[in-house]
């Protein structure tokens, strides 16, 4: 029933997080992670702000702001929970955002899926003044898992090039999600 915890990290310089952050919650939802650095941000450990267990719960939130590049090498999870007895209520997956004054590199899978029967996928926002690069095996998953769920939303904005691979925002009877991609130069 409880909520996940909250973690706030502020660095006057670089923030290198190699450890794992597990902030899962129950029906009160997943936790919140806020990382702010004047330099680069490098994430190599798993971060999990999912809602778990019986009943319904929303995923948490992850917000990253960097004065330099952001590199994500560890898996990020922000799923919602639900069941057919309680339905999934609001049951939305987590929200995730990165704002970087440099480049953004996503090298690991991000899973922000809505639980059955009617949970919504999460919202992923990426804003890079430089380039955005998604590795070929680093799927961005914000789909609905149930027959009544809505797909999520992915927004990518890059000052130079945007290289995008697998993005899944499918939904069911509620409809598919949305993908927005904007780049100052090329979209690959």
């Amino acid at each position: 029933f409880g909520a996940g915890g909250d973690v706030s990290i502020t660095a006057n310089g670089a923030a290198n997080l190699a450890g794992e952050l597990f902030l899962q919650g129950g029906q009160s939802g997943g936790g919140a992670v806020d990382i702010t650095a004047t330099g680069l941000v490098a994430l190599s450990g798993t971060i999990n702000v999912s809602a778990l267990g019986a009943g319904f719960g929303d995923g948490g939130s992850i917000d990253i702001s960097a004065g330099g590049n952001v590199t994500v090498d560890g898996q990020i999870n922000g799923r919602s929970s639900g069941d057919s007895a309680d339905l999934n209520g609001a049951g939305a997956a987590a929200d995730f955002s990165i704002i970087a004054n440099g480049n953004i590199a996503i090298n690991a899978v991000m899973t922000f899926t809505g639980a059955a029967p009617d949970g919504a996928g999460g919202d992923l926002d990426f804003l890079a003044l430089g380039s955005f690069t998604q590795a070929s095996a680093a799927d961005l998953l914000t789909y609905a898992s149930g027959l009544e769920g809505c797909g999520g939303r992915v927004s990518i904005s890059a000052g130079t090039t945007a290289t995008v691979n697998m993005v899944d925002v499918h939904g069911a009877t509620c409809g598919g999600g949305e993908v927005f991609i904007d780049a100052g130069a090329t979209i690959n």
Side-chain angles (χ1 to χ4, degrees):
F1 287 105
D6 295 338
V7 171
S8 180
I9 298 168
T10 303
N12 187 13
N16 293 293
L17 282 87
E20 299 175 336
L21 295 176
F22 291 107
L23 301 163
Q24 301 100 320
Q27 287 186 357
S28 296
V33 176
D34 183 38
I35 301 169
T36 303
T38 58
L40 65 84
V41 172
L43 306 174
S44 57
T46 299
I47 298 177
N48 194 332
V49 295
S50 297
L52 303 173
F56 64 88
D58 293 336
S61 65
I62 301 171
D63 295 299
I64 299 168
S65 178
N69 298 334
V70 175
T71 303
V72 177
D73 291 325
Q75 289 189 355
I76 311 291
N77 299 301
R79 291 171 272 213
S80 67
S81 65
D83 61 42
S84 58
D86 295 324
L87 296 178
N88 202 35
D95 294 327
F96 180 89
S97 72
I98 295 177
I99 299 173
N101 283 333
N103 304 321
I104 295 174
I106 306 300
N107 300 316
V109 174
M110 294 187 168
T111 306
F112 290 78
T113 53
D118 62 351
D123 289 338
L124 307 182
D125 291 297
F126 304 95
L127 174 59
L129 292 183
S131 65
F132 173 88
T133 305
Q134 177 191 0
S136 60
D139 299 348
L140 302 179
L141 308 173
T142 67
Y143 59 82
S145 299
L147 295 176
E148 299 173 9
C150 304
R153 186 182 66 82
V154 176
S155 176
I156 298 166
S157 181
T160 58
T161 61
T163 301
V164 181
N165 285 290
M166 171 62 167
V167 176
D168 187 347
V169 297
H170 79 266
T173 57
C174 178
E178 301 174 317
V179 177
F180 303 97
I181 304 170
D182 177 52
T186 12
I187 298 173
N188 301 312

